[in-house]
Amino acid sequence: MEGLAGAGAFSDGKYIITHEYGGWLADLLDPEVVINYIEQADSILVSFGATTERFMPNNDLKKLCLQNGLYMHQAQVKHLGTDHNYVSMTKLIEYLGKRVEICTRANVSEVDKDNHVITVNDKHNITADKIIFAVGRVGSSFFSKWCNKHSIPLTNNQVDIGVRVELDSLIWEDFSKKIYEPKILYRSKQYEDITRMFCFNDRGHVVTENTNGVLTVNGHSFRDEKLKTKNSNFALLSTINFTQPFKDPIEYARATAYLANLISGGQVLVQRLGDLRRGRRTTETRIKKGAIRPTLEAVPGDLSLCIPKRQLDNIIETLGALDKIAPGTANDDTLLYGIECKYYSARPKCNKDFLIEGCKDVYAVGDGAGFTRSLSQAAANGLYVADIISKQGQPKQENKQKQEKKEKQENKPTK
């Protein structure tokens, strides 16, 4: 998804107030600075209609996880809602549109880092004193290629591959009512890989996403009670960190998702957990006999034909571990949709102000540059760099004002 607010405008709007996950800003900035900018961004969103309700951490639930070999991240969480989040973003964009010129359908084909010339739609040139790459996840490939072209060092981040789990909302109700979104990590005994549960959508919908022609799955949850369902869903993804010589984890994930599209005839797959464990394909008949009604029309099939064995083993083992803290999670009728991927962009070498190495006044921020992976940290990243640039311009503006004042005094007629 491209454009203003990016995919975030169409997400269910989970806003987390923490520096511990959701990005890596604390690698470059003091944690207190990160939290300060997250809170600033939240204040802006609230001014455009976002909710003020916050779900607080719960140590009893964290203890339950630890007692069963699971680790739960804790933070204050806000649920903006797929419906309300879109409205807030629209109001924000309308506000900005009255103060700055916004160019839409402007495909940037090249950025001259030395002369600060941006080529748009292969024919129009725009010059700028400062340039910020805020390309989002969909623009990460373009940004990586640009960095490689200009010999800017990149660090490849991880890639997560897995499924979207859908089950009866009652199963995770104890968690969702207290903290809204459980973010839980599990280290598999077989491979010692990390598999994480996140992007929890209470009484939500499973949806498809189209990223450059490849269909994957995601989840939404609305604040409007009329739009809620009887099911909850969450992502369950296995983290893969590649070593040399492989350098393209995003394409690996895309290829895996494409394979699922190929098998399903250009759609996404759904499989009952019981069928997966028994090594058989799910059919329409088996789904109809099950206790869970799918919220997404997907093709019943066999996920083992497209998800690599290692990741699939991790997912099945993790579901068993989660079943200990939320009994019913690993029921036979639990639905698994595939593929779900989380791409993490390659990160350019920058200084603490996110100024790209070897460039003058060219910055990189957000998910597309590999610094963040959440609404809150992406927003904080943008505000931080905006402040840096604004402060750089202050001395020039002050000098200009002093010069104008001096000229007025010199030209003032004497009596």
Side-chain angles (χ1 to χ4, degrees):
M1 295 183 184
E2 303 175 66
L4 295 166
F10 298 93
S11 75
D12 80 306
K14 293 187 191 70
Y15 195 88
I16 52 174
I17 295 87
T18 181
H19 63 82
E20 294 183 2
Y21 62 93
W24 299 270
L25 293 186
D27 290 354
L28 281 80
L29 305 175
D30 186 274
E32 291 183 2
V33 173
V34 177
I35 294 297
N36 179 44
Y37 276 96
I38 287 175
E39 292 286 8
Q40 283 186 46
D42 180 52
S43 297
I44 293 171
L45 292 173
V46 169
S47 72
F48 289 100
T51 181
T52 58
E53 180 187 17
R54 293 190 181 192
F55 292 85
M56 307 305 287
N58 187 297
N59 284 331
D60 289 338
L61 294 178
K62 183 171 184 176
K63 180 179 178 180
L64 176 63
C65 289
L66 291 171
Q67 289 171 335
N68 288 278
L70 298 155
Y71 177 80
M72 186 175 78
H73 282 302
Q74 296 226 79
Q76 294 183 37
V77 178
K78 298 180 69 175
H79 177 228
L80 308 179
T82 303
D83 43 355
H84 290 201
N85 188 41
Y86 183 84
V87 173
S88 296
M89 291 297 103
T90 301
K91 290 179 179 178
L92 173 58
I93 292 165
E94 289 174 350
Y95 174 86
L96 292 173
K98 296 175 182 177
R99 289 158 176 80
V100 296
E101 182 181 358
I102 298 174
C103 301
T104 58
R105 301 189 183 279
N107 183 49
V108 175
S109 51
E110 182 54 273
V111 177
D112 184 333
K113 71 181 183 67
D114 299 315
N115 298 308
H116 279 211
V117 177
I118 303 168
T119 303
V120 179
N121 296 331
D122 292 320
K123 55 184 179 181
H124 299 299
N125 290 333
I126 300 173
T127 58
D129 293 331
K130 316 281 185 182
I131 297 173
I132 303 174
F133 280 92
V135 296
R137 292 180 190 177
V138 75
S140 62
S141 178
F142 166 81
F143 180 60
S144 294
K145 290 176 182 176
W146 182 86
C147 288
N148 288 327
K149 179 179 178 180
H150 294 282
S151 302
I152 295 167
L154 289 170
T155 301
N156 275 30
N157 286 331
Q158 69 202 39
V159 65
D160 294 348
I161 295 176
V163 296
R164 173 69 48 170
V165 181
E166 186 170 46
L167 32 60
D168 194 297
S169 63
L170 294 173
I171 293 174
W172 282 88
E173 190 177 50
D174 288 345
F175 282 79
S176 63
K177 284 189 173 181
K178 294 173 183 175
I179 61 173
Y180 187 76
E181 182 187 27
K183 284 183 179 286
I184 298 173
L185 306 181
Y186 176 73
R187 186 183 298 277
S188 68
K189 291 181 172 59
Q190 186 172 1
Y191 303 106
E192 294 192 338
D193 291 338
I194 295 295
T195 300
R196 61 192 185 104
M197 168 193 179
F198 68 107
C199 194
F200 184 88
N201 293 286
D202 180 51
R203 296 166 62 199
H205 300 255
V206 179
V207 298
T208 57
E209 285 188 348
N210 188 326
T211 305
N212 297 327
V214 177
L215 288 180
T216 55
V217 288
N218 207 326
H220 283 181
S221 182
F222 298 90
R223 290 189 65 84
D224 189 339
E225 285 291 327
K226 296 177 182 177
L227 299 175
K228 292 185 180 294
T229 71
K230 294 181 179 180
N231 296 348
S232 291
N233 65 75
F234 58 85
L236 192 62
L237 305 187
S238 180
T239 299
I240 306 297
N241 288 292
F242 290 98
T243 55
Q244 294 296 329
F246 190 68
K247 296 181 179 180
D248 206 342
I250 291 178
E251 282 306 309
Y252 174 85
R254 281 176 52 81
T256 304
Y258 173 75
L259 186 57
N261 294 171
L262 189 66
I263 292 170
S264 62
Q267 300 183 60
V268 294
L269 292 173
V270 62
Q271 187 171 22
R272 292 171 63 252
L273 177 57
D275 292 332
L276 178 62
R277 284 190 292 224
R278 293 177 179 87
R280 67 187 185 190
R281 173 187 174 174
T282 292
T283 62
E284 289 279 4
T285 301
R286 291 194 179 108
I287 287 181
K288 288 178 180 178
K289 288 181 178 179
I292 308 300
R293 300 275 74 82
T295 58
L296 174 67
E297 188 175 335
V299 176
D302 187 352
L303 290 167
S304 69
L305 297 177
C306 51
I307 298 180
K309 181 180 184 300
R310 181 168 182 150
Q311 287 94 310
L312 201 59
D313 288 345
N314 288 336
I315 289 165
I316 294 172
E317 185 180 332
T318 303
L319 284 168
L322 293 172
D323 195 71
K324 295 177 182 178
I325 61 170
T329 300
N331 285 350
D332 279 355
D333 287 335
T334 292
L335 298 178
L336 310 178
Y337 297 83
I339 304 295
E340 179 151 354
C341 304
K342 286 294 179 284
Y343 312 122
Y344 301 114
S345 312
R347 186 191 302 184
K349 193 168 184 179
C350 292
N351 69 6
K352 64 180 180 62
D353 293 335
F354 301 91
L355 183 69
I356 300 174
E357 183 180 89
C359 300
K360 179 177 173 55
D361 294 328
V362 181
Y363 302 80
V365 299
D367 287 23
F371 292 112
T372 66
R373 63 178 186 189
S374 64
L375 298 178
S376 56
Q377 287 210 28
N381 199 178
L383 287 177
Y384 178 81
V385 171
D387 271 356
I388 292 295
I389 293 174
S390 177
K391 290 173 183 176
Q392 290 174 354
Q394 283 178 0
K396 294 180 181 179
Q397 183 66 24
E398 290 172 0
N399 291 336
K400 182 179 179 181
Q401 291 173 348
K402 288 179 181 178
Q403 182 64 29
E404 289 175 349
K405 185 177 180 180
K406 181 179 179 181
E407 289 175 357
K408 285 181 180 179
Q409 290 176 342
E410 290 175 349
N411 296 328
K412 187 176 180 180
T414 57
K415 291 183 179 179

